[in-house]
Amino acid sequence: MRGRVSEVDAVVSRLDHDGGAGWPLVMRARRLVHQRFRFYSCLSWWESPATALARGRGYCAQYNGALYEVLRRSGVECRLVHAFRVRLRDDPSWRIGHVWVRVRVDGESRDACAGSAGDPIRFEPVTRVRPFGTGMRLLTVVGMAPIVAVAVTRSALTRQPRPTWLHHPLD
C-alpha cells in the first residue's frame, strides 16, 4: 500500500481540486463517497471503511465511516453517531440500527449519510443518538458475524438465494 493513493485520499484530493467549503463541500463529499459504494453489503462486515470504499461495497458503518474520514481530512468538524433503532422513511415498519455522520458547519449541526444518492437522510432515529466509538464498532462487527453466518448458511442449506438485505446494489 506504500506509495499508493487510497480511495479516501482520492476523494479528499477531488474535493480539494473542486474547491469550496461548508455545506456544499459536505454534500459533494457525501455524493462522491456514495458513488464509490456500488453495493450495500454485510458480507464483508470486518473490513475497515477505507477498504470497503476501495472495494465499493459495505454497510452503514463502512460507507459512513469512509464519509467521516473524508470530511475529517477535509477539515470539516464531524463525528460518527448511531442509534440502536431508526425508522426508514420509505418503509416505516422497518426499524434497524444505523450509523451516520453528524456534521457541524458554521455553528449548525446536520446529519449526513452516504447511503443514498438523493436525500441525505432517509431515516429518523427512534432511540437515543450516541457516539459511535471503538466499543460500539467492535460490538457491531462481532454482532454481525452470527447474523450474517446464519443467513448465508440457511441459504446454502435450503438452496435458496441469499436474502437481499445481505448484498444488493446501493440505490
Side-chain angles (χ1 to χ4, degrees):
M1 182 85 168
R2 201 170 168 190
R4 188 172 155 215
V5 175
S6 75
E7 280 296 305
V8 171
D9 292 333
V11 174
V12 171
S13 178
R14 170 80 184 270
L15 290 170
D16 288 345
H17 178 267
D18 291 348
W23 294 114
L25 172 80
V26 172
M27 297 316 288
R28 273 197 333 278
R30 188 187 66 76
R31 281 191 302 273
L32 287 171
V33 169
H34 174 77
Q35 289 168 357
R36 283 167 167 72
F37 277 90
R38 295 176 312 283
F39 295 96
Y40 175 92
S41 182
C42 295
L43 296 176
S44 51
W45 72 90
W46 61 88
E47 292 178 343
S48 71
T51 299
L53 180 66
R55 294 191 173 160
R57 64 176 188 229
Y59 65 101
C60 63
Q62 292 167 317
Y63 54 74
N64 285 321
L67 176 60
Y68 165 78
E69 273 304 310
V70 166
L71 290 172
R72 190 183 64 75
R73 291 185 193 184
S74 296
V76 175
E77 182 183 345
C78 60
R79 62 189 175 122
L80 274 175
V81 296
H82 78 96
F84 287 111
R85 292 276 178 253
V86 299
R87 180 178 27 248
L88 301 179
R89 290 197 178 139
D90 54 349
D91 185 359
S93 66
W94 184 246
R95 294 177 188 220
I96 57 172
H98 191 56
V99 176
W100 67 96
V101 184
R102 184 149 288 165
V103 182
R104 188 167 182 82
V105 173
D106 297 329
E108 180 185 3
S109 288
R110 294 185 199 169
D111 293 333
C113 179
S116 169
D119 185 1
I121 302 298
R122 298 186 318 181
F123 61 89
E124 175 185 342
V126 176
T127 59
R128 187 172 148 204
V129 176
R130 302 169 185 264
F132 190 70
T134 305
M136 195 60 203
R137 285 176 207 255
L138 181 60
L139 184 60
T140 299
V141 170
V142 170
M144 283 186 73
I147 294 166
V148 171
V150 165
V152 170
T153 302
R154 181 177 290 143
S155 294
L157 292 174
T158 62
R159 297 178 189 219
Q160 296 295 313
R162 291 177 181 163
T164 56
W165 64 264
L166 280 173
H167 184 88
H168 59 83
L170 194 58
D171 264 354

